[in-house]
Amino acid sequence: MRVRAPRRRWTVFAAVAMTGALALSGCGANEDSGSGDDRSKVEVFSWWTGPGEADGLAAMQADFEKKNPGTKFVNAAIAGGSGTQAKAVLASRLQNRKPPDSFQGHAGAELLDYIKAGQIEPLDDFFKQNNLKSVYPQQLLDQITYKGHLYSVPVNIHRSNVLWYNPGVLKEAGVSGAPKSVAEFVTALKAVKDRTKKVPLSLGAQWTADHLLENVLLGDLGTDAYNALWKPGADWGAPAVTKALDDFAEIMRYTTLEAASTDWQGAAKAVVDGEAAFNIMGDWAYGYFTGSAPNGLGKKLDTDFKYAAAPGTDGTYLWLSDSFTLPKGAPHKAGAQAWLKEVSSKEGQDLFNPKKGSIPARKDADKSLYTGYLQYAFEQWNNPGTKLAGSFWHGVNANNKWHTDIDTAVGLFLQNKDAGKLQQGLVSAAKNSGL
């Protein structure tokens, strides 16, 4: 995926993308397909079924239905954190040429496979007609541009490197605040284990271990070296990576095997319920923590939980963006375009993001709606001094094959606990990534 020259430090995805020699399968900039004037309904495919995210989707749906009274909204969401289940279902539907009218995809390298297969339409005309290039940050537009064409409509920006912790548990363990480095984190985990009966680090389904891995790599390697891992010829066998993987293995000793049976919500909830000291999860957890019942937990910042950048990552925004696409052959193309208009609108994003626990992708959002952690995220994202790194697990800088191969290596590690074999798996994954 060739991108325009990015602003700030947006080099990770550009380096990955510019080397991709992917060819579009007959997918022109203004190609038409599906029933172009059919807006009788719109089937929207996502993985937003959990607390916070489901509330945000419902808020956008209500606004969409108000603006489009003749269009039936069909929520085709598939449960499973990070889209692990949804992506498998989507792949089958696309292969069988039964696409939804619009589907969720992470902005960045995750979209390359859909583009290569000719499964999504360019959205140049849509962006032009709705004057979207002026309201989105240029660096974000760069991530969804392939060979000069735009392929998805971002609805938000998330931060992946957030440490959530319970201040009461830390006090009980004699830990004074959030650890600032990976080494301090290990020391704090040991203190919680030795001095309390609480879980030091809550973990959920396997993908949450992948998520933890990217945070440990970033925390140990630093922003520039982490970003370099996703460039062609990167040395995943380097001693610095070995050290980071050894730290990852050590950190994993302070999690519980039982936690693998739940998804991110259960792991995050353990922190605010005082059952665990720490959880490293994206900022979608904030919407879950503070949201109202029945889906939210109604917890209070600074009382029930606190937050900080993941150990060793302060000053770096490990970012991802949820976006929506227009599949080739969408049965109700006009309905899909109406949904994309909702997703891209100021009103839609300001309804969705405070509930989801994210900040809007647009530059003209109502900042007064974003308080607590979200105010901090706003400031961090828009601070020129903040470094940027792309989340590999959440689609920014690893294509689907690389993503899957990393997950396989992590899955094997969860069984054998061998950091050396994990590194061998990651070296192989990078070598076979197609870069």
Side-chain angles (χ1 to χ4, degrees), residues 321-347:
S321 173
D322 293 305
S323 65
F324 281 88
T325 65
L326 177 62
K328 188 174 183 179
H332 311 91
K333 187 171 182 179
Q337 290 173 326
W339 169 246
L340 293 179
K341 189 170 183 178
E342 173 67 26
V343 166
S344 65
S345 71
K346 180 178 181 295
E347 296 83 5

Short mmCIF file of all heavy atoms in Angstrom, two decimals, residues 321-347:
data_model
loop_
_atom_site.label_atom_id
_atom_site.label_comp_id
_atom_site.label_asym_id
_atom_site.label_seq_id
_atom_site.Cartn_x
_atom_site.Cartn_y
_atom_site.Cartn_z
N SER A 321 -7.53 2.65 14.55
CA SER A 321 -8.75 3.36 14.16
C SER A 321 -9.76 2.38 13.59
O SER A 321 -9.45 1.59 12.71
CB SER A 321 -8.44 4.43 13.12
OG SER A 321 -9.63 5.02 12.62
N ASP A 322 -10.98 2.42 14.14
CA ASP A 322 -12.09 1.65 13.56
C ASP A 322 -12.64 2.42 12.36
O ASP A 322 -12.80 3.65 12.42
CB ASP A 322 -13.20 1.46 14.58
CG ASP A 322 -12.78 0.57 15.74
OD1 ASP A 322 -12.34 -0.56 15.47
OD2 ASP A 322 -12.90 1.00 16.89
N SER A 323 -12.92 1.70 11.30
CA SER A 323 -13.47 2.35 10.11
C SER A 323 -14.47 1.42 9.44
O SER A 323 -14.56 0.23 9.77
CB SER A 323 -12.34 2.72 9.14
OG SER A 323 -11.71 1.56 8.62
N PHE A 324 -15.22 1.95 8.49
CA PHE A 324 -16.20 1.15 7.75
C PHE A 324 -15.95 1.26 6.25
O PHE A 324 -15.47 2.28 5.76
CB PHE A 324 -17.64 1.58 8.10
CG PHE A 324 -18.11 1.02 9.40
CD1 PHE A 324 -17.87 1.70 10.58
CD2 PHE A 324 -18.76 -0.20 9.46
CE1 PHE A 324 -18.28 1.18 11.80
CE2 PHE A 324 -19.17 -0.74 10.67
CZ PHE A 324 -18.94 -0.05 11.84
N THR A 325 -16.28 0.19 5.57
CA THR A 325 -16.00 0.04 4.15
C THR A 325 -17.27 -0.09 3.33
O THR A 325 -18.36 -0.28 3.87
CB THR A 325 -15.15 -1.21 3.92
OG1 THR A 325 -15.94 -2.36 4.29
CG2 THR A 325 -13.87 -1.20 4.73
N LEU A 326 -17.10 -0.03 2.01
CA LEU A 326 -18.17 -0.32 1.07
C LEU A 326 -17.77 -1.57 0.29
O LEU A 326 -16.92 -1.49 -0.61
CB LEU A 326 -18.41 0.85 0.11
CG LEU A 326 -19.47 0.62 -0.97
CD1 LEU A 326 -20.84 0.37 -0.35
CD2 LEU A 326 -19.53 1.82 -1.93
N PRO A 327 -18.32 -2.74 0.62
CA PRO A 327 -17.94 -3.96 -0.08
C PRO A 327 -18.37 -3.93 -1.54
O PRO A 327 -19.41 -3.36 -1.89
CB PRO A 327 -18.70 -5.06 0.67
CG PRO A 327 -19.04 -4.46 1.99
CD PRO A 327 -19.24 -2.99 1.73
N LYS A 328 -17.57 -4.54 -2.38
CA LYS A 328 -17.94 -4.69 -3.78
C LYS A 328 -19.14 -5.64 -3.84
O LYS A 328 -19.13 -6.71 -3.26
CB LYS A 328 -16.77 -5.25 -4.58
CG LYS A 328 -17.02 -5.26 -6.09
CD LYS A 328 -15.76 -5.69 -6.82
CE LYS A 328 -15.97 -5.62 -8.33
NZ LYS A 328 -14.73 -6.02 -9.06
N GLY A 329 -20.19 -5.23 -4.56
CA GLY A 329 -21.39 -6.04 -4.65
C GLY A 329 -22.32 -5.90 -3.47
O GLY A 329 -23.16 -6.77 -3.24
N ALA A 330 -22.18 -4.81 -2.68
CA ALA A 330 -23.08 -4.59 -1.55
C ALA A 330 -24.53 -4.61 -2.04
O ALA A 330 -24.88 -3.90 -2.98
CB ALA A 330 -22.78 -3.25 -0.88
N PRO A 331 -25.39 -5.43 -1.44
CA PRO A 331 -26.77 -5.56 -1.94
C PRO A 331 -27.57 -4.26 -1.90
O PRO A 331 -28.45 -4.06 -2.72
CB PRO A 331 -27.37 -6.61 -0.99
CG PRO A 331 -26.22 -7.35 -0.43
CD PRO A 331 -25.11 -6.34 -0.34
N HIS A 332 -27.27 -3.41 -0.92
CA HIS A 332 -28.01 -2.16 -0.77
C HIS A 332 -27.01 -1.02 -0.71
O HIS A 332 -26.76 -0.44 0.35
CB HIS A 332 -28.88 -2.21 0.50
CG HIS A 332 -29.70 -3.46 0.63
ND1 HIS A 332 -29.23 -4.58 1.28
CD2 HIS A 332 -30.92 -3.77 0.14
CE1 HIS A 332 -30.15 -5.52 1.22
NE2 HIS A 332 -31.19 -5.07 0.53
N LYS A 333 -26.47 -0.69 -1.86
CA LYS A 333 -25.36 0.25 -1.92
C LYS A 333 -25.75 1.64 -1.43
O LYS A 333 -24.98 2.30 -0.71
CB LYS A 333 -24.81 0.34 -3.34
CG LYS A 333 -23.54 1.17 -3.45
CD LYS A 333 -22.93 1.05 -4.83
CE LYS A 333 -21.63 1.84 -4.93
NZ LYS A 333 -21.01 1.70 -6.26
N ALA A 334 -26.93 2.10 -1.79
CA ALA A 334 -27.35 3.43 -1.33
C ALA A 334 -27.53 3.44 0.18
O ALA A 334 -27.21 4.42 0.85
CB ALA A 334 -28.65 3.84 -2.03
N GLY A 335 -28.04 2.33 0.72
CA GLY A 335 -28.15 2.22 2.17
C GLY A 335 -26.79 2.24 2.83
O GLY A 335 -26.59 2.86 3.87
N ALA A 336 -25.82 1.55 2.20
CA ALA A 336 -24.45 1.53 2.73
C ALA A 336 -23.84 2.92 2.73
O ALA A 336 -23.18 3.33 3.69
CB ALA A 336 -23.60 0.57 1.91
N GLN A 337 -24.06 3.66 1.66
CA GLN A 337 -23.51 5.01 1.58
C GLN A 337 -24.15 5.93 2.61
O GLN A 337 -23.47 6.80 3.17
CB GLN A 337 -23.70 5.55 0.16
CG GLN A 337 -22.80 4.85 -0.86
CD GLN A 337 -23.08 5.26 -2.28
OE1 GLN A 337 -24.23 5.54 -2.64
NE2 GLN A 337 -22.05 5.28 -3.11
N ALA A 338 -25.43 5.70 2.89
CA ALA A 338 -26.09 6.48 3.94
C ALA A 338 -25.47 6.17 5.31
O ALA A 338 -25.29 7.06 6.14
CB ALA A 338 -27.59 6.19 3.96
N TRP A 339 -25.12 4.89 5.53
CA TRP A 339 -24.47 4.51 6.78
C TRP A 339 -23.07 5.13 6.87
O TRP A 339 -22.69 5.65 7.92
CB TRP A 339 -24.37 2.99 6.89
CG TRP A 339 -23.50 2.54 8.02
CD1 TRP A 339 -22.32 1.87 7.93
CD2 TRP A 339 -23.74 2.74 9.42
NE1 TRP A 339 -21.80 1.64 9.18
CE2 TRP A 339 -22.65 2.16 10.11
CE3 TRP A 339 -24.76 3.35 10.15
CZ2 TRP A 339 -22.55 2.17 11.50
CZ3 TRP A 339 -24.66 3.36 11.54
CH2 TRP A 339 -23.58 2.78 12.20
N LEU A 340 -22.34 5.11 5.78
CA LEU A 340 -21.01 5.72 5.78
C LEU A 340 -21.10 7.22 6.06
O LEU A 340 -20.22 7.79 6.70
CB LEU A 340 -20.31 5.47 4.45
CG LEU A 340 -19.94 4.01 4.15
CD1 LEU A 340 -19.28 3.90 2.78
CD2 LEU A 340 -19.03 3.44 5.22
N LYS A 341 -22.16 7.84 5.59
CA LYS A 341 -22.36 9.26 5.87
C LYS A 341 -22.59 9.48 7.37
O LYS A 341 -22.08 10.44 7.95
CB LYS A 341 -23.54 9.80 5.07
CG LYS A 341 -23.68 11.31 5.13
CD LYS A 341 -24.70 11.82 4.13
CE LYS A 341 -24.78 13.34 4.14
NZ LYS A 341 -25.76 13.85 3.14
N GLU A 342 -23.33 8.58 7.99
CA GLU A 342 -23.54 8.66 9.44
C GLU A 342 -22.23 8.47 10.19
O GLU A 342 -21.90 9.23 11.11
CB GLU A 342 -24.54 7.58 9.88
CG GLU A 342 -24.73 7.46 11.39
CD GLU A 342 -25.39 8.67 12.01
OE1 GLU A 342 -26.14 9.39 11.31
OE2 GLU A 342 -25.18 8.91 13.20
N VAL A 343 -21.46 7.46 9.79
CA VAL A 343 -20.19 7.16 10.44
C VAL A 343 -19.23 8.33 10.35
O VAL A 343 -18.48 8.62 11.29
CB VAL A 343 -19.57 5.90 9.79
CG1 VAL A 343 -18.11 5.74 10.19
CG2 VAL A 343 -20.36 4.66 10.16
N SER A 344 -19.25 9.02 9.22
CA SER A 344 -18.31 10.11 9.00
C SER A 344 -18.78 11.44 9.55
O SER A 344 -18.01 12.41 9.58
CB SER A 344 -18.04 10.26 7.49
OG SER A 344 -19.23 10.66 6.80
N SER A 345 -20.01 11.52 9.99
CA SER A 345 -20.58 12.80 10.42
C SER A 345 -20.10 13.21 11.81
O SER A 345 -19.79 12.37 12.65
CB SER A 345 -22.11 12.73 10.41
OG SER A 345 -22.58 11.91 11.47
N LYS A 346 -20.06 14.50 12.04
CA LYS A 346 -19.72 15.03 13.36
C LYS A 346 -20.70 14.52 14.40
O LYS A 346 -20.31 14.11 15.50
CB LYS A 346 -19.71 16.55 13.32
CG LYS A 346 -19.36 17.23 14.64
CD LYS A 346 -19.34 18.74 14.47
CE LYS A 346 -18.97 19.45 15.79
NZ LYS A 346 -19.98 19.24 16.83
N GLU A 347 -21.99 14.54 14.06
CA GLU A 347 -23.03 14.11 15.01
C GLU A 347 -22.86 12.64 15.37
O GLU A 347 -22.90 12.26 16.54
CB GLU A 347 -24.43 14.34 14.42
CG GLU A 347 -24.78 15.78 14.16
CD GLU A 347 -24.23 16.29 12.83
OE1 GLU A 347 -23.66 15.48 12.06
OE2 GLU A 347 -24.38 17.49 12.55
#
